[in-house]
Amino acid sequence: MQNNSVNPSDLNPHLQFDGVTGELQFEKTDLSGLAQTYGTPLYVYSASSIKEAYRAYASACEGLANVTICYAVKANSNVHILKALAQEGAGFDIVSAGELARVIAAGGKPQKAVFAGVGKSAQEIEYALSQGVGCFNVESEAEMTRIGQVAEKMQRMANVSLRVNPDVDAKTHPYISTGLKENKFGVSMNAAPRVYQFAHAHPWLNVHGIDCHIGSQLTDASPYFDALDRVLALLDQLAADGIEINHLDLGGGIGIRYLDETPPTPAEVLPRLIAKVKDWAQSKGRSMPTLSFEPGRSIVGNAGVLLTQVEFLKENEGKHFAIVDAAMNDLMRPAMYKAFHGVVAVQNNAHAQPQEYDVVGPVCESGDWLAKNRTLAIEQGDYLAILSAGAYGQTMASNYNSRGRAAEVLIENGEVTLIRRRETIEDQLRPELDV
Ligand SMILES: *Cc1c(COP(=O)(O)O)cnc(C)c1O
């Protein structure tokens, strides 16, 4: 076994090779059958996995504090997945008006949505206010001013939290680290009191809380505690200035296993964070603040796989390529972050010899690869499963090379539902021909 091979059941116990046929199954459903029925590339999600991941967060906080788990919609925004999470009682972390519209279409409550992002337009703010969004997580002084203006024009109070940048190193990939002062996110600890004073004095802004999200794919919990220390120190400073903040949003970012990472579980992190807030509140004679968390990847990442079919096997000067029908436009993470995704053959192929392949797509870019140096025993026509593809997969998909976006199916208790049909060329042409 090569050290970059992944056993799917180590990522998700619902993903297993059948003991008899050797076929990869998700929630006991044969993946080759889904590939045949729905075609490839195909995203397949397990509803049980999503719900269990959500419940791991909810139960980690149970009885400890008043906590809302706001699922970060950008990780996977399919309406049917949002619906499943809304039914579980989740709130939502959104970063655009479009994501709020998705939450509403899924039956989620705008009051349980928090609106983050560094560049909210006046139209987006107006839409969110008109829908009664729970809170804006504000990322700059200029944005606070804009929200105040829109709220005043609409004569509607806007709840605001300030996203602060605690300047801690989340020790993750530079593209997904957000809590260092060189990142574009949030307001520095030094500038925060001034922005809070502005909001506090504004007749149409209601200071609701403080927000802090330090990065994504964290595999070590210590940056969360460092960030919380700094947030609590800022709350002391604000209280001394007469601004009492009673809501803490501690962001998302807990990592998942792609290869051999051992990220902390919600049960290992959340109770300790809550205890720290509780100790602080007690020592200051304050009431316990309400809390929220914003997990995305850790809810859906290992609840999804991308199925693809081998179009051709090809050798160039001793280097072997498996050219598959999924590409960087379907799953951008390898091209964008050099991200690792496990790859396995969906069925045993007794005729094929194991060979080391780069798994690449049909797009005309050298960056169009999905996996490198993987030992696979495959032939043309075989199906592969790209693992850990539930988060930042379909949401980052594009139409590059005029490729239609993949279909998506959701499995729940053996029942398979098409939750997004495959995009057609007519879908792509319409905005250009309908002008
Ligand atoms: C992306 C994002 C999240 C979710 O991050 P994950 O790593 O997917 O858990 C949470 N909050 C904010 C503000 C984000 O931008």
Side-chain angles (χ1 to χ4, degrees), residues 316-392:
N316 271 350
E317 307 281 336
K319 176 105 195 147
H320 293 262
F321 294 94
I323 301 169
V324 299
D325 63 3
M328 65 186 285
N329 75 294
D330 300 299
L331 182 65
M332 171 87 126
R333 298 186 68 259
M336 184 153 163
Y337 312 117
K338 294 192 165 61
F340 177 94
H341 285 266
V343 177
V344 294
V346 168
Q347 291 170 306
N348 250 330
N349 185 331
H351 316 291
Q353 290 301 316
Q355 182 64 254
E356 193 174 296
Y357 292 101
D358 281 4
V359 179
V360 303
V363 164
C364 302
E365 294 281 346
S366 295
D368 180 29
W369 56 273
L370 297 169
K372 290 194 167 169
N373 307 320
R374 304 307 170 82
T375 302
L376 296 162
I378 49 174
E379 289 178 309
Q380 186 169 325
D382 285 359
Y383 294 118
L384 302 179
I386 318 277
L387 307 176
S388 314
Y392 306 106

Side-chain angles (χ1 to χ4, degrees), residues 4 72 92 149 286 301 303 331 368:
N4 65 7
F92 296 94
Q149 284 163 349
R286 298 172 58 137
L331 182 65
D368 180 29

